[in-house]
Amino acid sequence: MQCAADRAVLAVLVTLSLLGCAALATATRWGPGIGPDSAVYVGVARSLLAGDGLVTRIGAGDEPRPLTQYPPLFPVVLAALGSFGFDPLAGARLINIGLFGLNILLVGLMLRSIAPNSRFLPPLGAFLALASPTQLGIHAAVLSEALFLFLSFTGLFFLGRYIDRPRPTVLLAASVATAMAFLTRYTGAAVVATGVVALLWLGRGSWRQRLYASSVFAAVAGAPGVLWMLRNWVMTGNLASREIAFHPIGPSALGRTAGVIGRWFLIENLPVAILLAVVLAAAAGVVHRGFRGPGRVATLPGVLLAFVVVYAIFLGVSISFVDANTPLNSRLLSPVFVAVLVLVLHRADALLKTQRGARAALPAAVAGACFALSYGFLGMKWTVEMAEHGGIGFGNRRWSRSEIIQKVRELPPEIEIYTNGADALYLLAGRASRSVPPKWLPRTRQENSEIRAELGEMRKMLLEQRALLVWLDGITWRWYLPSEHELSEWLGLRRHERVSDGAIYGLDRERRERDDH
């Protein structure tokens, strides 16, 4: 009887997984979402396929630069698929569709591991993961998050299994999955740290045994990422294209975080004070009661709790000392969403199994059904809108009809291009270009002390009629770049052509003649 119920639950999870793949395939029928990071991943993959190695040319013309801004695994996977004839851009869509199904299944399996006797909890969690606009959005775009989520939570899942029943092969599986997560995103370092914390905190046996297991995990899981960063240091003198500077998180970042988390629970404009109160209350409850399932320590929730805490600390340190431009948005917080989804459902299930909670079973079931239906509506609405209007970012259909992109395609290949959208020109027009010099360094929020020299080099190219400035109106988020008006004033530009969504500039002829004299 129990085996039949288990098979039924597994069948539902697989069905939801396939449904998620179909929904994402429908949403991306015009192509995957494309953003600035997408251009780097696709460009590196194409360089690998061309035999040039792990290099990027985005924003630097045709000059190859070693890939250091991101770890290498995602572009390597794209290149591997490209070896079978798929362009990396199309291949990324196929990979992320498959990963969406796997990540839905993984949420269900984690909940099934925590609540093995529940027929409703695993399917509910899988359905919420499927219908979440957050999850749909990050899987619909050419981003490394989908692969990172799969590898990270596979590693955490195996880590929980090892702590419950220590076996060397399971620890090795957890270590390898975590190592691959670290090679996908630098935030994988937080998963490595989580493993160490969880093995010391939740691990069985003596302190010596726990210390040994955590040391083995740290060595296997952390070594590939550390070696990659050492390679970066040898090649460029920098571990990850980032500089250390102090720029503490401000209240606005906390407000954005509260907004993202509020939308997970269908709450718009969640006040920061309420979020902090809930977090403190949850932490106090964990300390007081612990994570206990019926008759045993629920290890996996403890591992996920450790991950949420470590990941939050990692982001706080990173933003305050390494990269001030890190956005606390739904993309960056997507791993927290998955962990919180499992933790909240586990805790709700545990409360309903108490004597007091059993009395509220019917209202809780009604509330849960309404919540799930609301999520389903949001997910379906998002899917339909994407299918009708096109993808995210540069993948939106309006970019495929862009007049300025068409003008760039018509420019002679020998003309160098400066632009505020080097990534867009590479992906949409197939043109290598140079980024205009920034006024501010986005990662440190400091003024660019080299801007005069960089503008001088740009002006020299314009003066010799070997370059043009292409300005894209649709790119409004690069606050650190000079405006179109500022560049025109500083360099003495003359507009050659104006279209609906951009302009092309050269150096003013009279200005050039005065400089010649």
Side-chain angles (χ1 to χ4, degrees), residues 180-471:
M180 295 174 72
F182 196 178
L183 286 176
T184 302
R185 291 186 61 80
Y186 288 123
T187 48
V191 189
V192 178
T194 297
V196 174
V197 170
L199 287 166
L200 292 174
W201 174 38
L202 300 168
R204 307 186 188 282
S206 65
W207 268 103
R208 184 188 297 271
Q209 292 171 317
R210 282 181 277 172
L211 186 61
Y212 174 77
S214 63
S215 299
V216 170
F217 175 85
V220 176
V226 170
L227 288 174
W228 169 258
M229 296 173 75
L230 289 176
R231 168 260 188 195
N232 296 345
W233 178 268
V234 170
M235 297 186 75
T236 66
N238 194 293
L239 292 175
S241 294
R242 290 158 174 85
E243 298 179 3
I244 303 297
F246 183 58
H247 25 70
I249 295 179
S252 60
L254 294 177
R256 287 192 297 272
T257 303
V260 171
I261 294 175
R263 286 189 289 276
W264 296 348
F265 297 95
L266 307 180
I267 302 171
E268 288 292 336
N269 303 318
L270 177 67
V272 175
I274 293 179
L275 174 63
L276 292 176
V278 170
V279 170
L280 291 174
V286 169
V287 172
H288 178 65
R289 296 176 181 273
F291 273 88
R292 291 190 172 276
R296 65 183 181 87
V297 174
T299 307
L300 184 56
V303 172
L304 296 178
L305 174 67
F307 171 71
V308 171
V309 174
V310 171
Y311 190 79
I313 293 173
F314 180 90
L315 289 182
V317 171
S318 177
I319 293 171
S320 297
F321 293 96
V322 180
D323 188 354
N325 202 40
T326 302
L328 286 170
N329 54 19
S330 57
R331 174 188 171 188
L332 194 66
L333 295 174
S334 58
V336 179
F337 169 81
V338 175
V340 167
L341 172 63
V342 175
L343 288 171
V344 168
L345 289 178
H346 158 71
R347 196 61 197 152
D349 181 65
L351 289 173
L352 289 173
K353 288 178 179 177
T354 63
Q355 186 175 3
R356 182 180 299 177
R359 299 177 192 146
L362 182 58
V366 172
C370 292
F371 187 82
L373 287 173
S374 299
Y375 248 58
F377 172 78
L378 290 175
M380 185 170 62
K381 179 184 176 184
W382 186 95
T383 301
V384 170
E385 288 177 352
M386 289 298 105
E388 289 181 352
H389 304 297
I392 302 165
F394 302 137
N396 191 279
R397 291 177 66 190
R398 67 182 179 85
W399 279 101
S400 66
R401 301 189 293 264
S402 167
E403 291 187 70
I404 190 65
I405 295 297
Q406 182 57 43
K407 292 295 181 182
V408 170
R409 292 193 185 107
E410 297 169 0
L411 291 175
E414 65 273 11
I415 292 292
E416 192 84 50
I417 296 174
Y418 284 88
T419 181
N420 63 327
D423 37 22
L425 297 191
Y426 173 76
L427 288 172
L428 302 176
R431 284 294 298 259
S433 58
R434 296 181 181 274
S435 295
V436 299
K439 291 171 60 178
W440 303 87
L441 301 176
R443 297 190 184 282
T444 62
R445 298 189 182 273
Q446 297 174 345
E447 290 188 34
N448 179 14
S449 60
E450 303 294 325
I451 189 170
R452 288 184 178 275
E454 292 169 356
L455 285 172
E457 180 63 27
M458 178 179 172
R459 188 173 182 280
K460 179 182 177 183
M461 295 284 289
L462 293 165
L463 186 65
E464 296 172 356
Q465 294 185 301
R466 292 188 291 125
L468 294 170
L469 169 66
V470 174
W471 189 265

Side-chain angles (χ1 to χ4, degrees), residues 92-138:
R93 174 176 178 258
L94 296 177
I95 289 170
N96 280 6
I97 287 173
L99 285 170
F100 188 44
L102 290 174
N103 286 332
I104 292 168
L105 182 62
L106 187 56
V107 169
L109 291 177
M110 286 192 289
L111 287 164
R112 185 167 174 261
S113 173
I114 294 169
N117 298 321
S118 175
R119 299 182 185 181
F120 302 104
L121 198 65
L124 175 60
F127 176 79
L128 293 175
L130 185 165
S132 164
T134 294
Q135 294 300 97
L136 283 162
I138 64 170

